[in-house]
PDB file of all heavy atoms in Angstrom:
ATOM      1  N   ASP A  18      56.414  67.639 -26.395  1.00 96.00           N
ATOM      2  CA  ASP A  18      56.742  68.942 -25.807  1.00 96.00           C
ATOM      3  C   ASP A  18      56.929  68.692 -24.315  1.00 96.00           C
ATOM      4  O   ASP A  18      55.958  68.548 -23.573  1.00 96.00           O
ATOM      5  CB  ASP A  18      55.600  69.935 -26.053  1.00 96.00           C
ATOM      6  CG  ASP A  18      55.742  71.203 -25.202  1.00 96.00           C
ATOM      7  OD1 ASP A  18      56.861  71.461 -24.703  1.00 96.00           O
ATOM      8  OD2 ASP A  18      54.746  71.935 -25.035  1.00 96.00           O
ATOM      9  N   GLY A  20      57.509  70.258 -21.318  1.00 93.00           N
ATOM     10  CA  GLY A  20      57.515  71.589 -20.703  1.00 93.00           C
ATOM     11  C   GLY A  20      57.795  71.519 -19.218  1.00 93.00           C
ATOM     12  O   GLY A  20      57.791  70.435 -18.629  1.00 93.00           O
ATOM     13  N   THR A  21      58.051  72.675 -18.597  1.00 92.00           N
ATOM     14  CA  THR A  21      58.319  72.675 -17.158  1.00 92.00           C
ATOM     15  C   THR A  21      57.037  72.415 -16.374  1.00 92.00           C
ATOM     16  O   THR A  21      57.085  71.925 -15.262  1.00 92.00           O
ATOM     17  CB  THR A  21      58.939  74.010 -16.695  1.00 92.00           C
ATOM     18  OG1 THR A  21      58.049  75.067 -17.059  1.00 92.00           O
ATOM     19  CG2 THR A  21      60.276  74.257 -17.340  1.00 92.00           C
ATOM     20  N   GLU A 139      62.500  75.261 -28.977  1.00 92.00           N
ATOM     21  CA  GLU A 139      61.119  75.625 -28.659  1.00 92.00           C
ATOM     22  C   GLU A 139      60.562  76.800 -29.470  1.00 92.00           C
ATOM     23  O   GLU A 139      59.433  76.725 -29.953  1.00 92.00           O
ATOM     24  CB  GLU A 139      61.016  75.915 -27.170  1.00 92.00           C
ATOM     25  CG  GLU A 139      59.601  76.176 -26.743  1.00 92.00           C
ATOM     26  CD  GLU A 139      59.507  76.496 -25.278  1.00 92.00           C
ATOM     27  OE1 GLU A 139      60.099  77.499 -24.872  1.00 92.00           O
ATOM     28  OE2 GLU A 139      58.840  75.738 -24.568  1.00 92.00           O
ATOM     29  N   ASP A 161      57.204  82.917 -25.726  1.00 97.00           N
ATOM     30  CA  ASP A 161      56.549  81.769 -25.094  1.00 97.00           C
ATOM     31  C   ASP A 161      56.657  81.943 -23.578  1.00 97.00           C
ATOM     32  O   ASP A 161      57.755  81.948 -23.022  1.00 97.00           O
ATOM     33  CB  ASP A 161      57.218  80.458 -25.534  1.00 97.00           C
ATOM     34  CG  ASP A 161      56.483  79.247 -24.968  1.00 97.00           C
ATOM     35  OD1 ASP A 161      56.679  78.928 -23.772  1.00 97.00           O
ATOM     36  OD2 ASP A 161      55.698  78.639 -25.709  1.00 97.00           O
ATOM     37  N   GLY A 163      55.884  80.169 -20.369  1.00 96.00           N
ATOM     38  CA  GLY A 163      55.519  78.864 -19.816  1.00 96.00           C
ATOM     39  C   GLY A 163      55.367  78.952 -18.303  1.00 96.00           C
ATOM     40  O   GLY A 163      54.996  79.984 -17.743  1.00 96.00           O
ATOM     41  N   GLY A 291      52.319  79.638 -25.080  1.00 97.00           N
ATOM     42  CA  GLY A 291      52.530  79.136 -23.716  1.00 97.00           C
ATOM     43  C   GLY A 291      51.361  79.539 -22.819  1.00 97.00           C
ATOM     44  O   GLY A 291      50.635  80.492 -23.119  1.00 97.00           O
ATOM     45  N   VAL A 321      53.452  74.385 -29.083  1.00 97.00           N
ATOM     46  CA  VAL A 321      54.714  73.673 -29.309  1.00 97.00           C
ATOM     47  C   VAL A 321      54.440  72.284 -29.888  1.00 97.00           C
ATOM     48  O   VAL A 321      55.019  71.893 -30.908  1.00 97.00           O
ATOM     49  CB  VAL A 321      55.541  73.594 -28.008  1.00 97.00           C
ATOM     50  CG1 VAL A 321      56.733  72.664 -28.173  1.00 97.00           C
ATOM     51  CG2 VAL A 321      56.020  74.983 -27.609  1.00 97.00           C
TER      52      VAL A 321
HETATM   53 MG1   MG B  27      56.268  75.163 -23.117  1.00 82.87          MG
END
Side-chain angles (χ1 to χ4, degrees):
D18 167 18
T21 57
E139 185 181 62
D161 184 281
V321 170

